[in-house]
Amino acid sequence: MSQSIFEQLGGEAAVDAAVEVFYRKVLSDDRISHFFEGVDMAAQAAKQKAFLTMAFGGPHGYSGLDMRRAHAHLVEKGLNDFHFDAVMENLAATMQELHVPEALIAEAAAIAESTRNDVLGR
Amino acid sequence: MPDIRYNGRAYPLSDGQSVLECLIEHGVSVPFGCRSGVCQACLMRAETGHPPEASQKGLKPALADRNYFLACVCNPRESISVSLPCREGTRTPASIVGMELLSSEIMYVSLQPHELIEYRAGQFINLYQAENLARSYSVASLPTEDPYIHIHVRRVPEGRVSNWVHDALRPGDTVDIQGPNGDCYYQAGSPEQSLLLIGTGSGLAPLYGIIRDALAQGHTGPIRLFHGSRTPNGLYLTDRLRELTQTYSNFDYTPCLSGEPVLKGYARGRVHEIALSKLSDLKEWRVFLCGHPEMVKNAQKKAFLAGASLKDITCDAFTSHATFR
């Protein structure tokens, strides 16, 4: 059986290295930063870590229904494909910055992409 | 619908209500302070049933293991029997040994606990004005250098405890305190790390303690303090801090004023904006933020975006519930 990206990248340590880089990009991105106004940063970083673990194919407890529920209040505020694309871009840029091979970046992007309809409540 | 059982009576819990809200609604008098799960003044114990994990956040493991919880952030799904912790176990009487007005708003209070309290500079204690009325104050003293516990009490308009401290409390009086609590203190082990400390008003108290602790422990990296207020009355210990910059070349102090008038020797603007404009790269820095909740929240975000790791940013926001001054 082939290793998941999560294992190939070095497991939880890789996610720990990526989470702050990713969260910083998301918070500084004017297209989506307003969705994070006023949130508890420590709690939000924990969610980003869970998201990255999932995108890296690691062990996670997310179901499609969870993704729906968690983002419903943002969909009400206008969350749409434009914002989802911005997050996808930040995910790829984070992995590039950490010198992750392109093939693994594509694999992580495909996993993250698979949540699009749930996140956007469709 | 779950019940909260207390002192032999059962009180029905409404949807979304905390244990504290439920008891208060039914006219039961129990201690509380911040109502935000921070000050720990509303500590209670579950006699039966298990308190939700979220209500034990920040408690010492020894207390959490014995089913202690914070009533203000406890939303149980099932009925529980609760009690107040025995008074002897958690509170200590302390004598007021000194008081001095440091500015028109800030009262320095020196306390001698009647039994040994082991604390770190920067942690906070709860000061009880009455059996059920407490407020949290950060500790500015250093246990290795100061014989007493020092706190700085800012007079809050209509503040029940702060006005009592300023107007009624006198040296020789005895008060109840509880603590220490919190994780806002200097951690030895990285003497070369750069430290950034930003505070508003009496948020200087923990920072002053942390700075003296760091210097006493031989910290060699840069220590940069930014203290802000709207008016000069909110700033204090300015002479003492300027003296410290003369003694320690790695310590730097910038008093900031956000309101009028513009005074010589003070930076003009909001304290965290001034600090972050001067220090644009905080990678590997340790950051302490104390005081006004909005400042703390904004500064936390800016410090993180400037490269500080979240685990290296310690926030001590002074919560106050508007209706419970």
Side-chain angles (χ1 to χ4, degrees), chain B residues 28-66:
Chain B
V28 180
S29 178
V30 288
F32 63 89
C34 73
R35 302 187 124 204
S36 315
V38 178
C39 80
Q40 304 197 359
C42 66
L43 186 73
M44 296 191 84
R45 187 170 177 211
E47 303 288 338
T48 63
H50 290 287
E53 203 177 311
S55 66
Q56 297 187 311
K57 212 176 141 203
L59 291 186
K60 292 187 182 77
L63 288 178
D65 289 347
R66 283 150 59 210

Side-chain angles (χ1 to χ4, degrees), chain B residues 165-182:
Chain B
V165 168
H166 277 253
D167 298 333
L169 197 65
R170 293 291 172 260
D173 290 351
T174 300
V175 293
D176 272 346
I177 60 173
Q178 179 273 326
N181 312 301

Side-chain angles (χ1 to χ4, degrees), chain B residues 17-38:
Chain B
Q17 223 176 16
S18 70
V19 170
L20 179 66
E21 286 164 342
C22 173
L23 292 174
I24 290 174
E25 185 189 294
H26 291 94
V28 180
S29 178
V30 288
F32 63 89
C34 73
R35 302 187 124 204
S36 315
V38 178

Side-chain angles (χ1 to χ4, degrees), chain A residues 17-28:
Chain A
V19 68
E20 292 208 342
V21 176
F22 175 66
Y23 188 26
R24 228 173 248 125
K25 286 190 193 300
V26 166
L27 274 185
S28 346

Side-chain angles (χ1 to χ4, degrees), chain B residues 252-271:
Chain B
D252 181 68
Y253 164 56
T254 310
C256 310
L257 293 174
S258 60
E260 304 289 342
V262 187
L263 295 173
K264 197 170 170 291
Y266 297 87
R268 175 77 205 284
R270 291 179 184 276
V271 64

Side-chain angles (χ1 to χ4, degrees), chain A residues 20 23-24 28 37-38 41 45, chain B residues 297 300 304-305 307-310:
Chain A
E20 292 208 342
Y23 188 26
R24 228 173 248 125
S28 346
E37 287 293 331
M41 289 187 68
Chain B
K297 203 181 217 178
Q300 181 193 28
F304 175 66
L305 290 177
S309 179
L310 275 181

Side-chain angles (χ1 to χ4, degrees), chain A residues 16-58:
Chain A
D16 283 337
V19 68
E20 292 208 342
V21 176
F22 175 66
Y23 188 26
R24 228 173 248 125
K25 286 190 193 300
V26 166
L27 274 185
S28 346
D29 187 333
D30 291 340
R31 292 173 294 179
I32 48 178
S33 59
H34 59 282
F35 288 112
F36 299 94
E37 287 293 331
V39 301
D40 179 287
M41 289 187 68
Q44 189 59 35
K47 286 181 193 160
Q48 308 283 5
K49 185 174 168 180
F51 168 71
L52 287 180
T53 305
M54 180 198 70
F56 291 173

